[in-house]
Amino acid sequence: MIRRDGRPIWLGTSKAYGLTVQRKKAAKLVWTQAWRRLHKKGISETASKKRTRRVGKVQRAVVGASLEDIKKKAAQKSEIRKDAKEAAIKELKDRKAANKAKSGGAKGKVAKPHTFQKVPKHMGGAGKRAGTQR
Amino acid sequence: MIQQQTILKVSDNSGAKTVRCIRVLGGFRKKYAKLGDNIIVSVQQLRNKSKKTSKVKKGEVYKALIIRTKVPHKKKDGSQIWFGENSVVLVNKQENPVSTRIIGPLPKLLKKKKFQKFISMSSGLI
């Protein structure tokens, strides 16, 4: 059955149908689920079960590597990374020093990029207008 | 199954509250009207709030379109739809609505070009 406001109602028994026609409120009839929810009957058993402790992260051995190997590798990684980083930085520095020693002043000039003459803003007005075509 | 003397509720903002069916349209000695049929009605009661601003007067005769019935409407897939009341929307001789709003949804049975105006006025199809 669909009510005037558009909401459908499903009714199982003639008892329920008769009472809805009389516009009785389900929350006021003791045998209904709505009343039980309102007065919190039969909820305590289901609510207490929900709490379970979460198990922390457990490292397990895989077929290829035993627990110890995995742990070793994990610990190693941070050290290796550090060393690798330092080595790379050192290399760069050495290279730079070697380059400077070889070429001296000449190579340094060529390497510098071409810089524009920067005109200060307030003086550039006349020059700009001459250049652009509108 | 709406017939002569049936009192129906009005689900629009024309100002009428209840109407009485005085003639079932659509055939010689046709006895009953169902969802989507037109009937001729006479206005019985007006809504209290809109007595001054209502578009209809008590005792006036109008045509009406049945939009809700308590009797189930059977669909071709075997399902049925029925409502909690017998309800009607007032309509003029050219079968255009008298009101500007319809309260509640319309049945999907009325999803036809003919009823486009009614569908746009209502809250939807159900």
Side-chain angles (χ1 to χ4, degrees):
Chain A
M1 179 177 104
I2 298 175
R3 270 211 170 133
R4 195 181 171 83
D5 56 10
R7 276 198 243 146
I9 299 177
W10 295 100
L11 297 167
T13 59
S14 58
K15 177 181 183 181
Y17 176 73
L19 289 165
T20 45
V21 166
Q22 295 176 48
R23 310 285 299 196
K24 298 289 185 196
K25 289 196 172 171
K28 289 189 177 179
L29 300 168
V30 181
W31 54 272
T32 56
Q33 209 183 51
W35 187 94
R36 299 203 91 223
R37 269 192 217 132
L38 196 66
H39 293 75
K40 293 170 193 163
K41 299 287 179 186
I43 288 178
S44 54
E45 297 110 37
T46 51
S48 61
K49 270 187 189 171
K50 277 200 170 177
R51 293 209 120 217
T52 46
R53 280 257 157 146
R54 252 193 144 196
V55 184
K57 215 180 181 186
V58 177
Q59 277 203 329
R60 287 188 203 139
V62 193
V63 176
S66 65
L67 240 189
E68 294 172 5
D69 290 344
I70 293 175
K71 281 190 181 169
K72 261 193 202 170
K73 276 199 173 174
Q76 249 190 3
K77 267 188 185 172
S78 52
E79 294 169 4
I80 288 179
R81 275 191 203 144
K82 232 187 174 184
D83 292 342
K85 224 185 180 182
E86 284 179 16
I89 291 171
K90 235 189 175 183
E91 260 203 76
L92 259 178
K93 282 191 180 168
D94 290 343
R95 234 190 278 159
K96 271 193 180 173
N99 280 345
K100 270 197 174 174
K102 262 197 221 169
S103 49
K107 207 181 182 184
K109 275 196 187 163
V110 173
K112 226 183 173 185
H114 177 71
T115 51
F116 295 95
Q117 269 286 313
K118 279 198 176 175
V119 183
K121 269 190 184 173
H122 60 273
M123 299 216 328
K128 249 192 187 177
R129 256 179 244 137
T132 55
Q133 286 179 355
R134 286 266 168 157
Chain B
M1 282 174 70
I2 311 295
Q3 56 180 339
Q4 269 194 7
Q5 302 290 340
T6 306
I7 292 183
L8 303 127
K9 288 190 188 172
V10 177
S11 281
D12 59 16
N13 65 349
S14 59
K17 193 171 174 182
T18 53
V19 293
R20 174 177 300 208
C21 171
I22 54 179
R23 192 72 193 167
V24 169
L25 294 175
F28 174 65
R29 282 196 195 157
K30 183 172 180 188
K31 291 208 160 112
Y32 308 117
K34 48 190 201 309
L35 258 188
D37 284 352
N38 277 315
I39 55 175
I40 297 187
V41 296
S42 142
V43 177
Q44 298 289 110
Q45 283 179 332
L46 296 177
R47 287 195 196 279
N48 281 324
K49 279 186 186 176
S50 50
K51 268 184 182 159
K52 291 179 188 174
T53 59
S54 106
K55 295 166 196 168
V56 303
K57 273 186 238 165
K58 195 177 151 195
E60 274 189 332
V61 171
Y62 279 95
K63 253 191 189 174
L65 173 73
I66 299 174
I67 58 168
R68 288 178 213 135
T69 53
K70 282 184 181 174
V71 162
H73 169 249
K74 294 174 192 172
K75 297 186 189 172
K76 289 215 167 153
D77 64 357
S79 61
Q80 300 181 345
I81 183 170
W82 70 99
F83 298 85
E85 56 177 22
N86 294 318
S87 195
V88 119
V89 171
L90 293 185
V91 131
N92 62 16
K93 276 188 194 168
Q94 289 78 36
E95 298 186 6
N96 292 324
V98 165
S99 53
T100 53
R101 263 188 232 154
I102 297 180
I103 298 164
L106 296 177
K108 275 198 187 147
L109 163 80
L110 297 182
K111 194 176 181 183
K112 291 179 188 170
K113 230 181 173 180
K114 186 161 81 157
F115 302 116
Q116 194 54 44
K117 281 187 194 160
F118 298 96
I119 296 170
S120 60
M121 290 197 313
S122 76
S123 70
L125 292 170
I126 197 165

